């Protein structure tokens, strides 16, 4: 690894570290600034221009930001629009700088491994903090969901996303790379599986298990690794059974899926994993069903270009008011869906550009060069966007703006099979 690569590695990991700890704020300003400036001068501007022309997904990403900026400028409430623009700025400057780097594949892989190790260390801090607060299982509610990540000041859904990505990276090194210390990587992977369960993100757990099952069948049928594939499958099933057996609280998150009916006028309590789930509560499932319907109705009123980013919150509250959805108003709830948020704020125009720029074209680029790891990372982001509005939070915008362009930065020559 060259000196220049070592500096870039350090800046990326420093940037990612500050995402785990958003305080002090100065670090969250300095870290991206250093990374952007170094990336800007890492390779010649001519190389960057060539990368921008060749990597069609970058053009799609920048076009999406142009749609965002247009929606902001056309908003009736410019102050609110600029507030919404702030966490979306990373969708412009990170693809334009980090996304135009020309890197060696081995270097990219080492950066991803560093990211996975950093995530594992942060999860170990969360677990230690949770165990201490729970007085070592006397109060197990401190070992689940957002309580587990409170020390980081971040919601568990975002940490769960990083856990999924780290598991893929460790598996890639264990199975396909001549990595040292594979035994430690296996232990780290098992630890992260347990953390995934404790973080209790249904969408991320479902995505993780579906990908693991798919990979097991791929190993069995495609590569004819029957013993290894069956062993992986059995290990996954046994692990899931043991975790559910000894840590049953997360089951409440899935019991909510049996209560998807809702009444807009209801002011029932909000369900929690540490309480009994009943039909009269608002929970993560029935609230989303109710809010998604409101967002869909708003989209149908403005299908092509949406209600504009700066006006989206007020217009959504108007729909809530029409339905007497007091629970959503008083708790300041959004629609909890990145796609729907884009659809009713920027219309079909914004959603189609987003889908092509951030999902379809990146997956096509990764598929062209048989980059399975990049495909899994992009698919996992796409799944995470189903239940949360990632671009309304700085963390969501930064993770998206950095990781998706970065996994596709290694050079064309090295991409060839």
């Amino acid at each position: 690894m060259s000196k220049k690569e070592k500096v870039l590695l350090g800046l990326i990991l420093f940037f990612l570290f500050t995402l785990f700890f958003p305080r002090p704020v100065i670090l969250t300003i300095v870290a991206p600034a250093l990374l952007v400036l170094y990336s800007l001068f890492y390779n010649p501007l001519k190389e960057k221009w060539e990368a921008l022309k060749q990597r069609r997904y970058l053009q799609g990403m920048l076009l999406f930001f142009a749609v965002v900026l247009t929606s902001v400028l056309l908003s009736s409430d410019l102050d609110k629009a600029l507030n919404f623009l702030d966490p979306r700025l990373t969708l412009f400057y990170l693809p334009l700088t980090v996304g135009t780097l020309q890197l060696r594949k081995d270097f990219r892989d080492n950066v991803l491994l560093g990211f996975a190790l950093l995530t594992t260390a942060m999860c170990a801090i969360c677990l230690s903090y949770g165990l201490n607060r729970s007085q070592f299982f006397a109060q197990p509610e401190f070992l689940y969901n957002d309580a587990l990540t409170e020390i980081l000041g971040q919601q568990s859904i975002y940490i769960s996303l990083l856990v999924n990505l780290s598991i893929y990276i460790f598996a890639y090194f264990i199975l396909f790379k001549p990595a040292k210390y594979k035994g430690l990587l296996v232990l780290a992977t098992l630890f992260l599986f347990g953390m995934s369960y404790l973080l209790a993100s249904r969408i991320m757990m479902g995505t993780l298990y579906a990908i693991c099952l798919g990979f097991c069948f791929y190993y069995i049928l495609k590569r004819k690794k029957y013993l290894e594939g069956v062993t992986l499958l059995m290990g996954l099933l046994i692990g899931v059974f043991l975790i559910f057996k000894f840590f049953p609280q997360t089951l409440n998150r899935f019991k909510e899926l049996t209560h998807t009916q809702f009444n807009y006028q209801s002011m029932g309590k909000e369900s929690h994993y540490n309480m009994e789930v009943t039909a009269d509560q608002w929970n993560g499932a029935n609230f989303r069903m109710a809010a998604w319907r409101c967002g869909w109705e708003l989209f149908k009123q403005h299908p092509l270009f949406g209600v504009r980013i700066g006006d989206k919150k007020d217009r959504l509250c108007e729909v809530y008011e029409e339905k007497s959805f007091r629970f959503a108003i008083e708790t300041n709830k959004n629609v909890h869906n990145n796609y729907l948020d884009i659809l009713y704020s920027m219309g079909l125009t914004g959603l189609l550009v987003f889908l092509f720029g951030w999902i379809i074209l990146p997956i096509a680029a990764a598929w062209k060069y048989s980059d399975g790891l990049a495909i899994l990372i992009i698919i996992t982001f796409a799944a995470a966007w189903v239940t949360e509005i990632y671009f309304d939070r700085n963390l969501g915008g930064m993770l998206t703006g950095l990781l998706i362009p970065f996994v596709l930065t290694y050079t064309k020559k090295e991409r060839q099979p």
Side-chain angles (χ1 to χ4, degrees), residues 88-104:
R88 290 166 171 79
L89 287 174
T90 51
L91 303 180
F92 169 69
Y93 65 74
L94 287 174
L96 192 61
T97 54
V98 176
T100 54
L101 294 174
Q102 302 272 6
L103 303 175
R104 295 183 303 109

Side-chain angles (χ1 to χ4, degrees), residues 57 61 355-367 378 404 408:
Y57 58 88
M61 292 173 182
L355 292 176
F356 273 93
W358 285 96
I359 300 178
I360 297 172
L361 292 178
I363 288 178
W367 183 273
I378 298 164
I404 293 181
L408 298 169

Side-chain angles (χ1 to χ4, degrees), residues 39-52 100:
S39 299
L40 190 61
F41 298 104
Y42 184 88
N43 54 333
L45 291 179
K46 185 179 179 180
E47 271 190 17
K48 289 186 174 296
W49 177 247
E50 289 300 318
L52 189 58
T100 54

Side-chain angles (χ1 to χ4, degrees), residues 272-299:
H272 190 265
Y273 60 86
N274 202 41
M275 62 190 291
E276 183 182 357
V277 178
T278 60
D280 62 336
Q281 298 168 337
W282 283 107
N283 60 60
N286 65 6
F287 169 76
R288 283 175 171 80
M289 298 297 291
W292 290 353
R293 185 173 297 180
C294 294
W296 182 255
E297 289 186 11
L298 193 53
F299 154 69

